[in-house]
């Protein structure tokens, strides 16, 4: 079955992957406290590696107190390991130090939320919402008494089909559209349907942090691919596809989260071809193509893909209506049938009310006009943030859209103390390591300019820069 | 690790479990077409059984065309196996014949929906809904612009805590309450957090069909326990707990789906004690305690449990507002932290709008008064159904609450033809095998009286009884 799985992998990586494999199963609780672990012989056979490689992995785990040895009978799971409830109690600190999850950072109350890549609710046309909702109840008086179908409301799927065909040149029918409860559900469904333990998954580095968690939970072997201001190095992408035969490539090519980078149009066509050649599905997560500050971004991959290898995820939560949690998935019918089946077991359909409100709100002229205002407001906030940080000496590429600045701090930055001290002073931000499948990038941070107004931005950033100065001057002096 | 797993299992069961294990992995696509399967030696070692046992399992799978042999190199997955998209195209027929899913039956349009255990939308106070919604927008003008926390809106969790403390004598704090997008999500989260492949799960027989699918997908070994008009045989429950050491017991003790049976109060306390003794979590699914026709049902298990072994799932979809998809999970903090974490990766929180509407609607005096009308309306519909079926000779126990009649047809019933012919004449019902973890109970059916009004019920049931007579007379004559 899995024999020879690591045959093509560079020798020093094999050790690492066996180590990861064991640790991940302990972390997920599949192998429980005091449970006997697989023998060296068995793992060596399963991975197709030398027994010494497995032995070394166990030795390191033993050193790290993750496993223990009982007489000569083998290795056992050390109790008090990673998934203990206690370790989860102090989310923010333990999150950064041990295992990082964006949702835990968001649980922390802070006056200056630079960690939330969300729209400030004050920027939404809130007073018009209730009108649309009243319309919805007039049009569908029994909407609260009715379940949606699993795939989603037909009227909404038809409207989305028209919209994406016209605006983004998608070749699409309403049968190829699924409505999900936000993009998080979409990523989760895709991972559950497509990824089996030890499948390789190509993933941006850095990337959207919860995607890392979802694919990891599914047991995937994550293969990171660097994304830069000019997109990917395509020779590198091809090499990784050839070497790892990834099941899928999770990417976020337009105003990428966290970097803000956009993959140029000319790369999109070639990447779609590569995906077809190597039978690697492209999972295109596209949460904010409308939030551009200069030119419109290139068309989504889905529009370039003629081989049906792209699954397109479009969230409408980020800047249309977070409180509705509506997202769309577009893909070809073969894949769609699996996704619909998986969804029927995980939530039996996104609430009909939310779909109907979204339908009447999003496609209204008022909303479409409102997008223009939104772009202006966010461009101003971005400018304010860049202005405030101009004197710090930190480095970033000014984004052409989206919600974030992806900033490189000096190598000497005491990141953990910066995180803890900021938190004490009611400031939150996202440490770069959370966005990195390799958990490195320890001197990068993501600051969002979307959630706070100009005044709050200025005030919070001055405080934040002050904390930084104090910590680094202090450490220089100390 | 898993060595000796089956040591305590009766010998003839070992074969079956090895067989199930292999088949399940093929079914889930973990072992793909033409992939080499684990060797007999390896599986024998892993399960701690004799190699002959594994050999026999492979031989049966070969006979059934699930695997094939290549020269002498071992067993391989036969292509065209269970999960092929083609097999999913004609849901209703292939569903019954091959693999059955309730969601597929619900996809079929029918004029006489006896398969939907849902409330007729006309029985809900629809014209009052929009008032509540307007209130919600007045009270929380930014509700559509705001994400909920993962655990759920605090105001709603507090209100539910008060309600369950007062009405059901729960010992509960708002930290022990999670809001989910319907009970389906709750079951799925619980399965993902608690069940590992090959864990034993006790489950009612018959039971709520999607729960079977969820636990099976998680790789659980399902251990069925019969439920009768008087509840369980407790000696049998204890024996199964002792023998299988189940991780959890999924049960639906109040107006059980599909049977309508209720576990009596005196059994509840003793079952809670058994669960504590054998460290078996009780997953109590409670979708309709308010829908009683005579006396109120006993208190939920959660109220009897002093050891913290119960996870209580209360759906509000069935009879309050299907279009909102709101459910609640109550459990102790240790378990709660895992559930919240799992939810953060699967949908990042139930939409806030739905939670706020539910809050103001469910706790209103009008809704609480409306429940009384609902009980009367459903009692009448149940009587109509029983009246119409009185002459058929079919057998059922008259339910004291809920939405369904669980009916035993004569042994000679040609069930598959009944299903297909009914479908052709626009009548849907649920075949009993779908509700059975063993996929037997082939002469039972579930008919719901909740979705159609009296006239539709009479008309549809006359047609249905007519189809039955025709089929059985035809087959007697033929």
């Amino acid at each position: 079955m899995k024999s020879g799985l690591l045959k093509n992998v560079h020798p020093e990586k094999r050790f690492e992957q066996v180590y990861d494999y064991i640790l991940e199963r302990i972390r997920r609780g599949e192998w429980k406290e005091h449970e006997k672990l697989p023998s060296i012989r068995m793992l060596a056979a399963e991975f197709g590696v030398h027994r010494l490689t497995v032995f070394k992995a166990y030795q390191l785990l033993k050193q790290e107190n993750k496993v223990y040895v009982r007489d000569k009978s083998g290795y056992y799971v050390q109790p008090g390991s990673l998934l203990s409830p206690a370790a989860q109690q102090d989310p923010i600190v333990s999150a950064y130090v041990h295992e990082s999850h964006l949702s835990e950072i968001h649980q922390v109350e802070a006056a200056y939320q630079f960690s939330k890549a969300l729209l400030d609710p004050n920027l939404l046309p809130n007073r018009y919402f209730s009108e649309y909702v009243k319309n919805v109840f007039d049009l569908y008086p029994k909407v609260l008494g009715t379940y949606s179908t699993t795939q989603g409301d037909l009227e909404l799927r038809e409207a989305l089909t028209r919209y994406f065909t016209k605006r983004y040149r998608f070749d699409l029918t309403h049968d190829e559209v699924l409505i999900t409860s936000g993009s998080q559900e979409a990523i989760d469904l895709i991972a559950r349907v497509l990824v089996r333990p030890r499948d390789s998954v190509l993933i941006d580095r850095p990337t959207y942090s919860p995607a890392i968690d979802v694919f990891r939970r599914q047991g995937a072997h994550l293969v990171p691919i660097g994304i830069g201001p000019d997109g990917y190095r395509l020779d590198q992408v091809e090499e990784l596809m050839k070497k790892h035969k990834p099941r899928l490539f999770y990417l976020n090519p337009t105003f990428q989260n966290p970097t803000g980078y956009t993959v140029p149009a000319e790369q999109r066509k070639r990447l779609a071809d590569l995906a077809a050649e190597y039978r690697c599905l492209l999972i295109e997560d596209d949460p904010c193509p409308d939030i551009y500050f200069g030119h419109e971004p290139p068309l989504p991959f889905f529009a370039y893909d003629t081989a049906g290898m792209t699954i397109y995820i479009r969230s409408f939560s980020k800047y249309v209506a977070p409180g509705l949690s509506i997202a769309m998935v577009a893909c070809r019918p073969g894949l769609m049938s699996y996704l619909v089946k998986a969804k029927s077991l995980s939530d039996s359909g996104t609430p009909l009310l939310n779909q109907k409100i979204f339908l009447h709100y999003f496609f209204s002229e008022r909303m479409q006009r409102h997008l223009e205002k939104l772009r202006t407001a966010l461009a101003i906030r971005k400018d304010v943030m860049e202005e405030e940080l101009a004197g710090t000496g930190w480095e970033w590429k000014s984004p052409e859209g989206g919600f974030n600045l992806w900033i490189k701090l000096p190598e000497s930055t005491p990141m953990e103390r910066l995180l803890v001290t900021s938190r004490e002073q009611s400031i939150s931000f996202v440490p770069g390591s959370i966005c990195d499948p390799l958990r490195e990038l320890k001197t990068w941070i993501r600051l969002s300019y979307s959630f706070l107004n100009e005044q709050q931005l200025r005030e919070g950033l001055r405080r934040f820069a002050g904390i930084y100065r104090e910590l680094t001057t202090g450490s220089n002096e100390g």
Side-chain angles (χ1 to χ4, degrees), chain A residues 5-6 12 33 47 50 89 145 150 153 157 187 204 218 249 252 265 269 306 365 406 419 459:
Chain A
L5 187 80
L6 300 185
E12 68 197 34
E33 301 189 351
F47 277 92
H50 198 281
Q89 291 310 313
T150 306
D153 180 54
R157 286 189 286 127
I187 297 170
D204 289 345
Q218 204 59 21
F249 180 2
N252 177 199
K269 177 77 189 92
T306 52
E365 267 188 50
W406 176 242
L419 194 69
E459 177 61 28

Side-chain angles (χ1 to χ4, degrees), chain A residues 1 9 26-27 33 59 62 126 144 169 212 235 241-242 299 323 332 343 471 478:
Chain A
M1 55 175 181
V9 177
I26 297 176
R27 184 176 280 150
E33 301 189 351
Q59 284 304 103
K62 198 182 132 197
N126 295 296
L144 284 191
R169 299 189 221 150
I212 299 175
D235 57 333
M241 283 187 175
K242 198 180 285 180
L299 292 177
R332 298 309 169 202
K343 184 164 165 75
L471 283 176

Side-chain angles (χ1 to χ4, degrees), chain A residues 154-164 174 359 363:
Chain A
L154 184 60
E155 196 186 8
L156 174 57
R157 286 189 286 127
E158 286 173 343
L160 287 168
T161 302
R162 285 191 298 273
Y163 176 80
F164 279 91
H174 63 77
L359 171 69
F363 293 106

Side-chain angles (χ1 to χ4, degrees), chain A residues 80-136:
Chain A
S81 62
L82 302 161
L83 254 184
S84 73
Q88 304 187 319
Q89 291 310 313
D90 188 10
I92 182 80
V93 175
S94 70
Y96 182 55
V97 179
H98 304 297
E99 233 193 318
S100 323
H101 293 287
L102 199 57
S103 65
E104 290 165 351
I105 290 193
H106 287 164
Q107 278 168 34
V108 175
E109 293 288 330
Y112 302 100
Q113 287 274 14
F114 299 115
S115 61
K116 285 198 175 161
L118 294 180
L119 202 66
D120 177 358
N122 293 309
L123 290 182
L124 287 168
N126 295 296
R127 65 198 168 101
Y128 299 122
F129 268 127
S130 53
E131 275 179 43
Y132 290 104
V133 175
K134 270 178 257 167
N135 284 348
V136 164

Side-chain angles (χ1 to χ4, degrees), chain A residues 47-81:
Chain A
F47 277 92
V49 298
H50 198 281
R51 286 186 211 163
L52 207 59
T53 308
V54 181
F55 175 74
K56 275 170 57 189
Y58 270 135
Q59 284 304 103
L60 181 57
L61 288 163
K62 198 182 132 197
Q63 267 178 39
E64 295 173 344
N65 272 322
K66 303 290 193 297
V67 309
Y68 66 93
V69 178
R70 189 190 290 166
D71 301 329
K72 287 183 180 166
S73 72
Y75 295 90
Y76 292 79
V77 179
Q78 182 76 42
S81 62

